[in-house]
Amino acid sequence: MKMPHAWYLGNGNVQIMPVQRHRPTSRRPHWIIILICLVCVSLIGAYVYPPHRYSACYIFASSICSPFTDWVPPVAHVLTDDEFASHVLINDILSAPYKEPKNPKIAFMFLTPGSLPFEKLWEKFFLGHEGRFSIYVHASREKPDHVSPLFVGRDIQSGKVVWGKISMVDAERRLLANALQDPDNQHFVLLSDSCVPLHNFDYVYNYLMGTNVSFIDCFWDPGPHGNARYTEHMLPEIEEKDFRKGSQWFSMKRRHALIVLADSLYYTKFKLYCKPGFDSRNCYADEHYLPTLLSTGHFDILQMVDPTGIANWSVTHVDWSEGKWHPKAYRAQDVTFEILKNISSIDESYHVTSDEKKVVTVKPCLWNGMKRPCYLFARKFYPEALHNLMQLFSNYTLI
């Protein structure tokens, strides 16, 4: 508290004068109020109008974005124009109303270097079921010599196929393109020259046509033969968390076949960046393209429109238990009733990672919610096994 000032007047008198407090004129900090208003408007705008595809925060580094970006809720992966167009097309395909043809058929598509050694066995499988199947043969090396009239005239225009290259996927898409021209074909099965049927035709037909599921082998493998093959060149459309592995031998519904044939964006990514020797990796497109493209975890649109459309196993059995570069092959002496019965009775799918942990995943094969045998076909059988297979066919296919 300040004391009052005393003033000497020179005549012996002292006058005491009270101190007057001089307060400065009050000035409101208008600039602070304006700044707060701008911040509030920015925050409200960020919530109401989220950043668009071409905003600077998505095109450039986040460091040059507004300091208030951190206030905006996390935004999902922003689609590129090509990716957006691809999703629109997929949505249209999956949302199209299904029209049951009067005579639904299964398209059996054979991918082979030349002649089919088990043509007579397949003829035995098909006979008596004309009008319920179609046959397409893609011979990549030489024109096949057909021994069954059912296969005559079923060759399509083919291209060269090299193991591990995108040409394998090209051949699959070529087969699908030919088979899709027949509107009665509602299910599409890819088979090799070493494949044989495990069940009779009626069983296979009812199994495939009686469900809305496509059987695409698909699993997550963090090891050197799985996600170690992934490269960041596949970004932004394909993230590592969406990269999947599986067998190329598929069985799929018409809607998924249309998606595979219509896709160019993701196919191009695999064509350019998934090949032996690229980026010091040995990536094989036929083992990763379809599982990655059609896995339910990859496309949000598939998850929304077709959440249970893909089974994560192939209906074609192959035995990798020997741990070699190639699966177990069956010679004539290996083909017995017991081995065929065992294969055709398997009702659980089995996957193991290629890393040091060797994580094993075993899941029941569920057909319309019921546990059923997983496999309708099997490979790899040597041509010399034909005689034994013909002798056993009527017995083991009744299992």
Side-chain angles (χ1 to χ4, degrees):
M1 179 177 178
K2 292 185 177 180
M3 300 298 294
H5 292 292
W7 296 91
Y8 179 68
L9 300 180
N11 56 2
N13 296 323
V14 177
Q15 183 178 2
I16 299 175
M17 301 292 293
V19 174
Q20 294 183 356
R21 298 186 180 184
H22 298 281
R23 295 182 180 180
T25 304
S26 176
R27 294 183 180 179
R28 296 180 179 179
H30 295 291
W31 67 273
I32 295 178
I33 297 175
I34 294 173
L35 180 59
I36 293 174
C37 292
L38 289 175
V39 170
C40 294
V41 170
S42 299
L43 292 176
I44 294 172
Y47 278 94
V48 177
Y49 302 102
H52 293 289
R53 184 177 304 148
Y54 301 113
S55 66
C57 290
Y58 286 89
I59 299 176
F60 303 104
S62 60
S63 59
I64 70 171
C65 296
S66 166
F68 308 111
T69 302
D70 292 340
W71 291 81
V72 181
V75 179
H77 166 63
V78 178
L79 303 180
T80 63
D81 285 340
D82 289 340
E83 196 173 8
F84 179 73
S86 178
H87 281 225
V88 170
L89 180 60
I90 290 170
N91 183 38
D92 187 59
I93 292 172
L94 292 178
S95 301
Y98 175 69
K99 295 181 180 179
E100 178 76 28
K102 293 182 179 180
N103 185 36
K105 296 187 293 185
I106 297 175
F108 291 84
M109 308 180 302
F110 291 87
L111 181 57
T112 175
S115 298
L116 292 166
F118 299 111
E119 231 176 69
K120 296 301 291 185
L121 178 66
W122 284 105
E123 179 186 58
K124 196 170 185 177
F125 171 79
F126 288 127
L127 279 178
H129 304 284
E130 290 75 8
R132 302 170 70 194
F133 66 88
S134 301
I135 296 174
Y136 302 87
V137 179
H138 183 292
S140 60
R141 296 181 188 172
E142 57 187 26
K143 183 177 176 59
D145 292 325
H146 296 297
V147 296
S148 167
L150 294 178
F151 285 81
V152 174
R154 304 314 305 163
D155 302 325
I156 69 167
Q157 184 175 352
S158 305
K160 184 179 180 181
V161 174
V162 179
W163 179 81
K165 299 290 185 68
I166 194 67
S167 58
M168 188 76 77
V169 176
D170 293 337
E172 296 171 6
R173 287 159 60 99
R174 202 173 291 123
L175 281 162
L176 285 173
N178 280 268
L180 281 167
Q181 292 184 75
D182 186 343
D184 289 339
N185 287 334
Q186 297 298 305
H187 206 102
F188 304 79
V189 180
L190 182 69
L191 300 162
S192 75
D193 55 309
S194 69
C195 284
V196 300
L198 291 174
H199 299 272
N200 61 43
F201 184 89
D202 283 328
Y203 184 96
V204 171
Y205 185 89
N206 293 331
Y207 194 108
L208 296 179
M209 301 299 285
T211 180
N212 289 325
V213 170
S214 290
F215 297 94
I216 310 292
D217 189 32
C218 175
F219 71 104
W220 165 267
D221 180 6
H225 299 158
N227 274 56
R229 297 172 175 176
Y230 173 83
T231 173
E232 291 185 351
H233 289 281
M234 291 186 172
L235 292 172
E237 292 84 3
I238 303 172
E239 300 179 32
E240 183 178 1
K241 66 181 180 62
D242 298 320
F243 194 70
R244 294 291 185 272
K245 181 181 178 179
S247 169
Q248 75 175 105
W249 307 104
F250 62 78
S251 169
M252 67 174 65
K253 289 296 183 182
R254 187 176 183 90
R255 64 182 182 275
H256 294 132
L258 287 168
I259 290 173
V260 173
L261 196 62
D263 171 56
S264 61
L265 176 63
Y266 300 90
Y267 165 81
T268 301
K269 288 286 185 176
F270 278 87
K271 180 178 182 179
L272 294 176
Y273 307 122
C274 181
K275 50 189 174 182
F278 178 80
D279 203 14
S280 301
R281 295 170 170 85
N282 286 323
C283 185
Y284 307 108
D286 57 281
E287 294 183 6
H288 298 281
Y289 171 63
L290 286 182
T292 303
L293 176 70
L294 295 175
S295 65
T296 55
H298 184 65
F299 279 137
D300 288 340
I301 195 67
L302 278 176
Q303 183 69 29
M304 291 185 293
V305 181
D306 201 25
T308 58
I310 303 297
N312 294 325
W313 84 87
S314 168
V315 290
T316 299
H317 175 267
V318 64
D319 185 354
W320 288 97
S321 62
E322 294 179 343
K324 299 179 181 178
W325 278 101
H326 298 284
K328 174 180 174 60
Y330 300 92
R331 294 195 172 276
Q333 64 268 22
D334 300 320
V335 178
T336 63
F337 175 82
E338 287 71 22
I339 190 66
L340 295 170
K341 178 181 178 181
N342 289 339
I343 295 174
S344 60
S345 300
I346 297 173
D347 57 8
E348 293 179 330
S349 63
Y350 173 93
H351 292 113
V352 57
T353 61
S354 60
D355 57 358
E356 294 181 355
K357 295 181 179 179
K358 302 294 181 183
V359 177
V360 176
T361 303
V362 180
K363 293 183 178 181
C365 293
L366 299 179
W367 182 90
N368 292 342
M370 300 179 292
K371 192 173 183 180
R372 294 282 296 276
C374 303
Y375 304 113
L376 305 178
F377 317 102
R379 58 187 300 266
K380 303 196 22 154
F381 288 80
Y382 278 95
E384 65 186 54
L386 175 61
H387 177 75
N388 287 0
L389 288 166
M390 292 287 288
Q391 295 294 317
L392 295 169
F393 179 80
S394 297
N395 292 325
Y396 76 79
T397 56
L398 292 177
I399 299 172

